[in-house]
Amino acid sequence: MVLNEFMQKVSRWPQLHFTAIECEQRGAAFEIYATDCTSQTRSRLLMYRTPDAQDAGTMASHFRLWLGKANRGRNSRQKKAFLSGASRAG
């Protein structure tokens, strides 16, 4: 997975605010999830699956960096929307 794919996948769920990346072993495979713990229910989005532990660790590291970028972009868009709405109301 590349950055663009990651961003597209996360942006498909605008009502969720993913705050963490988790890696779990399931049988012989490793699964990486983006998690949202901001509401009463915990939401998880499967991002990647691999049979290789080293690959899972590498991808989880990438995803943590990319999630930070995604959240900064989301916060910036929300701030712009808020400011443009406030200027129209005023």
Side-chain angles (χ1 to χ4, degrees), residues 38-78:
T38 59
S39 61
Q40 288 182 339
T41 58
R42 181 175 169 209
S43 302
R44 297 184 344 148
L45 176 63
L46 178 63
M47 300 299 292
Y48 191 75
R49 182 179 290 135
T50 181
D52 184 275
Q54 186 174 357
D55 184 38
T58 300
M59 292 309 293
S61 294
H62 288 305
F63 291 172
R64 286 182 186 101
L65 291 173
W66 296 348
L67 182 60
K69 287 183 180 188
N71 286 337
R72 283 190 298 277
R74 177 180 184 216
N75 292 342
S76 176
R77 287 188 301 278
Q78 286 177 338

